[in-house]
Amino acid sequence: MVPGAVEQAVPFARYLSQASQLTRLWQGQSYGLEPAATFAYLAGAGYRGPVGTGVLITPLRHPAQAALEARTMAAVTGHPAIVGYGPGSQVVQRARLGSAYRDPVAVCTEFLRATRECMAQPWDPPDTGSGHRYFHVGEALPPVAHPRVQLALGVLRSRMARAAGEVADAAITWLTPAAYLRRVVVPEVAKGADSARRPRPSVIAAVPVAVARPGRHPVELAHLAAGGHLVLPHYADMLTRAGVDVSASDPSSAARALVAGGGFLYGSPSGIAAGLAEYAAAGAGEVILNLTGVHARYGTDETLLDLSEILTATASLHW
């Protein structure tokens, strides 16, 4: 979920501290509370677990500010952080910048390199590019001791996946079915890394999930979790390429197609666990359990109940 008040994040941070199967607390882009501030609040309240963001959008920040936020997350939690970035939609780009990116992949690639430079983070191999076209970086920020920050790119299609392989520490997907991850994302990330002669970044899949219960409707929950993305052309295009017949002009039918196509996992805890295992088999090194739809409709208690039952079911699979 994206908390509307910092206190809403506390039950999830507390659950993370007690659940050995969970590796980190994730938050997506927020137009209310900045994730770095939420994580700082949780750290001050005594919840200093690993954190990640997926995916913060570049039109809202300069690389220097991104570097400051990213290293703050690692410093205040005392753990390595994964911080993902993406271009956002053309609507957001126009609203914040006055025009849409002509080449979102090139912008995001440079953004990641520039953010790394601002943190004075070692680059492998050294960047021998001809300077910056989109961002003026200036000097690196003054040094501050902090655990490692991994910089990630949000990935939907082939070109961004290959770019992530070339410059990122991780590639983060959202709404991508496991078969598409296996067939497109993982191979393209590998190609990009191999071409740049660098280690292959991990692939992280953010997957919306909900346990089937009486009175629940999967299409409604899928719409609450992802309806805002399903109307965007780049998500509709990715899902179409993945074999999911979505229409950006009809969010309800798009949500129904997302459920049918495996982009939203709904069913018994064991069925969801099996679906998550498919992501692991497809090459995902980490899976983000996104229960935004459940939380929006039923609140914190039912969200944590779903999470608990799913984790219990995954424990028997031995991934």
Side-chain angles (χ1 to χ4, degrees):
M1 71 157 187
V2 176
V6 287
E7 293 82 3
Q8 292 178 342
V10 170
F12 297 94
R14 182 184 300 119
Y15 190 94
L16 174 69
S17 69
Q18 300 168 351
S20 60
Q21 291 168 269
L22 297 178
T23 57
R24 76 185 74 250
L25 182 66
W26 288 87
Q27 182 179 330
Q29 174 64 58
S30 171
Y31 292 97
L33 300 177
E34 176 59 45
T38 300
F39 295 143
Y41 172 87
L42 293 173
Y47 301 104
R48 296 177 178 269
V51 298
T53 69
V55 171
L56 307 181
I57 61 172
T58 57
L60 293 183
R61 46 186 49 82
H62 184 274
Q65 180 64 27
L68 188 60
E69 294 170 355
R71 76 179 189 181
T72 295
M73 295 181 206
V76 300
T77 62
H79 292 273
I82 299 176
V83 188
Y85 303 100
S89 68
Q90 289 189 346
V91 172
V92 172
Q93 293 163 21
R94 293 190 187 101
R96 299 301 171 187
L97 304 174
S99 61
Y101 294 142
R102 291 187 178 181
D103 190 340
V105 175
V107 170
C108 288
T109 298
E110 184 177 309
F111 186 93
L112 220 67
R113 285 176 166 151
T115 301
R116 186 176 277 114
E117 289 177 20
C118 288
M119 285 194 291
Q121 216 177 46
W123 169 241
D124 53 337
D127 184 8
T128 57
S130 57
H132 295 288
R133 176 180 178 185
Y134 303 102
F135 304 100
H136 175 71
V137 177
E139 296 180 355
L141 297 171
V144 170
H146 60 82
R148 184 189 179 201
V149 173
Q150 292 180 265
L151 300 179
L153 280 182
V155 168
L156 292 180
R157 293 174 289 188
S158 297
R159 190 162 168 245
M160 190 70 86
R162 187 169 293 200
E166 294 172 352
V167 303
D169 299 310
I172 303 175
T173 70
W174 170 235
L175 305 184
T176 55
Y180 180 82
L181 196 80
R182 181 182 63 253
R183 178 172 54 85
V184 176
V185 175
V186 171
E188 291 296 334
V189 169
K191 288 177 184 177
D194 292 347
S195 69
R197 297 183 180 180
R198 61 188 300 265
R200 294 180 180 182
S202 61
V203 175
I204 302 168
V207 184
V209 299
V211 174
R213 302 189 191 279
R216 288 188 177 183
H217 303 283
V219 174
E220 176 195 21
L221 295 176
H223 187 267
L224 288 170
H229 295 90
L230 294 173
V231 299
L232 299 175
H234 54 303
Y235 276 93
D237 180 69
M238 176 275 293
L239 287 166
T240 299
R241 293 169 186 266
V244 180
D245 186 17
V246 300
S247 170
S249 62
D250 188 350
S252 294
S253 68
R256 187 175 298 107
L258 184 68
V259 175
F264 181 95
L265 299 183
Y266 181 83
S268 67
S270 60
I272 293 172
L276 296 174
E278 291 184 14
Y279 280 90
E286 186 170 344
V287 177
I288 303 169
L289 299 180
N290 185 298
L291 292 110
T292 303
V294 177
H295 190 271
R297 180 68 173 82
Y298 297 105
T300 297
D301 289 345
E302 289 212 29
T303 302
L304 291 175
L305 178 61
D306 276 22
L307 181 57
S308 177
E309 292 184 359
I310 293 169
L311 291 178
T312 298
T314 60
S316 64
L317 292 182
H318 306 294
W319 291 8

